[in-house]
Amino acid sequence: MCATTPVWGGNSARNWADPSLQIDLVRSIDRACFDFLLLEDSSFVPDNYGDSMEFYLERALRAPKNDPLPLVPLMTQASKHVGIVPTISTSFYPPYLLARLISTLDLMSDGRVGCNFVTSTALRAAQNFGLKDHIEHHTRYEMADEFVELVKQLWNSWEADAVVADEERGVFVDPCKVKTIDFEGRFFSSRGPLNTARPAQGQPVLVQAGGSPQGRAFASKHMDVIIAAVGTVEEMKAFRDDVRDRVAAHGRDPDKTKILYQITPIVAETDAQAQEILEARAKAKDPKVMLASMGSLFDIDFSKIDMDEPLAGLSTNGQQGTFKRFMAMGSTLREIAQNFRFGIEGVAGSPETVASQMAEMMEEAGGDGFLIAGSVNRRYVAEITDGLVPVLQRRGLVRKAYAHEHFRDNLLEF
Ligand SMILES: Cc1cc2nc3c(=O)[nH]c(=O)nc-3n(C[C@H](O)[C@H](O)[C@H](O)COP(=O)(O)O)c2cc1C
């Protein structure tokens, strides 16, 4: 499941910063035995639509958004098994700081933490961290590769049994089992070792969602979970085949890398009710919101482009994979606004119907499951965890109980 803040609906809008919403969410998905909760993040207030922050702030599009890392201990304390995956930027975080934060969280939760690595695509985010212009897309991924390499070495700078806590000998840490790393890269360097112990899982679960060839190359080299935001079974299949080939080319086992597809199902009492919701949402959809939202991922002001003029000469230093899919959806903005889907949409029905549709897609495309994304309100979460999940469990498609203590072991087991 993928969580975004803030939230419209119910009583949660006014209390958007109250962590009880996230605590209720994590308890629900822990009870429903999900693999993990991904806490998405970005570090800017967009002003891409009409040269102004107004459009975004009025609609709470990407802001306000609290930092995900302080939510992690709250969530692990309020749950027993589910993995928690905060998002961090490889372009702006110092790798040592991140390695220590994640190690601390993994140790404190006894092995329940992962990390979603993003390169951050927006110019405004780069400017918040002191850059005048953003780093080029391919350079961001070269940095990301080195960042993850360095972070892994820092986690490995303590052997698993370095902490001996031997009261009789008066030795807390065996000094032979802690080593400097002396990392010297193109972008980062760090002497090490980390000044906290190795994470409880050895290496926390690594997650990434990149659509471009560079993004896929990075994910295939390092990641345990790779997420695809594609819209059709054909795209799912093509993504999976490509990424599995890339994982194997790195000498890694493709069956140990989980590929998940982003989906936003509508679950209602009956198929007819779900169709009504689907139709009402399609009717209420404002193309401007989608264009403003996508514009903030591409750093393009779509308000300045005529909806019916053929599009020409557009390019981006932002999200490449999404941009390519976006541009392929039509020759004008109006056509694209009608056709573009960020992930899989249109799956709607009773719990039985949605379960069947998801099972069919998984059967046809192959893969390891879905990342359910949607606004985090209690009602939607209950429709998933208490409506859909029991049907999936009855059919043996998802777990009924966790078998292991650590997030990584649970992830690999089912
Ligand atoms: C499910 C999902 C979640 C993502 N979460 C974040 C996020 O929290 N923050 C962020 O900056 N980018 C996020 N992204 C964007 C990706 O990290 C990446 O920038 C994007 O897929 C484009 O990569 P590409 O340029 O390699 O195609 C997410 C993408 C997907 C599909």
Side-chain angles (χ1 to χ4, degrees):
M1 193 138 200
C2 178
T4 59
T5 54
V7 180
W8 290 104
N11 58 5
S12 36
R14 209 165 280 284
N15 302 330
W16 69 273
D18 176 352
S20 68
L21 179 72
Q22 273 86 4
I23 288 171
D24 285 354
L25 165 67
V26 80
R27 286 195 173 131
S28 297
I29 70 162
D30 197 41
R31 187 166 35 79
C33 301
F34 274 63
D35 288 319
F36 65 89
L37 175 69
L38 188 146
L39 302 168
E40 66 92 44
D41 195 34
S42 54
S43 310
F44 67 108
V45 178
D47 60 353
N48 307 87
Y49 200 74
D51 270 339
S52 158
M53 295 188 284
E54 190 180 316
F55 192 93
Y56 297 89
L57 290 173
E58 283 182 356
R59 292 162 181 79
L61 268 178
R62 304 202 194 291
K65 192 189 286 285
N66 277 343
D67 192 295
L69 279 154
L71 288 176
V72 177
L74 287 174
M75 290 183 147
T76 53
Q77 284 295 101
S79 57
K80 292 201 176 94
H81 295 284
V82 69
I84 308 293
V85 180
T87 295
I88 69 95
S89 169
T90 55
S91 301
F92 308 131
Y93 248 91
Y96 185 92
L97 184 65
L98 189 271
R100 185 167 181 233
L101 267 168
I102 295 293
S103 198
T104 304
L105 293 170
D106 202 49
L107 284 163
M108 288 200 314
S109 64
D110 202 8
R112 303 257 314 277
V113 172
C115 193
N116 177 35
F117 292 94
V118 301
T119 56
S120 295
T121 51
L123 170 64
R124 294 299 187 222
Q127 290 171 338
N128 285 340
F129 290 90
L131 302 182
K132 204 157 157 271
D133 298 314
H134 206 345
I135 308 155
E136 288 295 318
H137 180 265
H138 67 273
T139 311
R140 291 202 300 269
Y141 273 118
E142 285 164 16
M143 288 175 74
D145 179 48
E146 200 178 289
F147 184 106
V148 172
E149 203 62 64
L150 168 50
V151 163
K152 283 195 211 168
Q153 288 193 25
L154 285 168
W155 287 331
N156 277 325
S157 64
W158 287 57
E159 289 182 31
D161 53 357
V163 178
V164 289
D166 186 334
E167 285 185 30
E168 266 175 37
R169 285 196 296 136
V171 175
F172 198 84
V173 178
D174 181 346
C176 303
K177 298 193 167 168
V178 181
K179 301 263 169 10
T180 64
I181 61 165
D182 302 302
F183 187 98
E184 289 291 338
R186 220 177 113 206
F187 306 100
F188 306 108
S189 58
S190 181
R191 179 176 183 273
L194 211 55
N195 64 334
T196 186
R198 188 186 178 84
Q201 296 174 92
Q203 184 174 294
V205 173
L206 309 187
V207 181
Q208 206 260 349
S212 65
Q214 294 91 338
R216 294 180 191 201
F218 169 60
S220 323
K221 186 169 165 194
H222 297 288
M223 300 298 147
D224 301 302
V225 178
I226 302 176
I227 302 162
V230 292
T232 64
V233 169
E234 292 70 39
E235 284 181 301
M236 288 163 72
K237 199 167 163 8
F239 183 93
R240 181 165 190 259
D241 291 345
D242 177 54
V243 165
R244 280 175 68 85
D245 285 350
R246 288 172 185 268
V247 170
H250 283 292
R252 303 177 67 217
D253 181 355
D255 291 333
K256 290 197 174 143
T257 306
K258 301 285 179 177
I259 298 174
L260 309 181
Y261 310 100
Q262 178 168 329
I263 191 168
T264 309
I266 295 174
V267 183
E269 276 304 305
T270 63
D271 290 353
Q273 281 174 4
Q275 280 310 316
E276 261 177 47
I277 297 170
L278 197 64
E279 281 159 29
R281 286 200 192 157
K283 229 176 175 176
K285 207 165 157 188
D286 178 356
K288 281 195 208 130
V289 173
M290 193 277 271
L291 292 175
S293 173
M294 288 298 126
S296 73
L297 302 182
F298 308 147
D299 279 325
I300 295 176
D301 188 346
F302 288 120
S303 77
K304 300 218 165 79
I305 300 175
D306 189 302
M307 290 292 281
D308 298 302
E309 283 292 314
L311 288 171
L314 291 182
S315 65
T316 183
N317 185 32
Q319 293 199 9
Q320 300 290 332
T322 315
F323 183 69
K324 200 168 157 204
R325 288 190 58 242
F326 180 90
M327 294 301 284
M329 293 294 154
S331 53
T332 63
L333 278 186
R334 195 175 302 283
E335 278 175 26
I336 293 173
Q338 257 156 20
N339 301 332
F340 180 74
R341 306 277 179 274
F342 191 73
I344 301 160
E345 289 178 26
V347 170
S350 67
E352 295 287 346
T353 302
V354 171
S356 298
Q357 289 176 357
M358 288 170 76
E360 270 166 38
M361 276 191 280
M362 202 45 51
E363 186 80 8
E364 257 185 82
D368 305 285
F370 295 94
L371 181 90
I372 297 180
S375 59
V376 182
N377 66 48
R378 291 177 172 97
R379 182 173 166 173
Y380 182 67
V381 173
E383 283 160 359
I384 300 295
T385 57
D386 300 281
L388 176 63
V389 169
V391 178
L392 293 170
Q393 285 177 333
R394 241 188 351 259
R395 297 186 190 187
L397 297 171
V398 297
R399 72 168 68 78
K400 286 189 180 129
Y402 294 98
H404 303 279
E405 291 299 316
H406 287 173
F407 170 19
R408 172 180 296 281
D409 296 335
N410 284 317
L411 179 78
L412 289 176
E413 180 236 3
F414 203 99

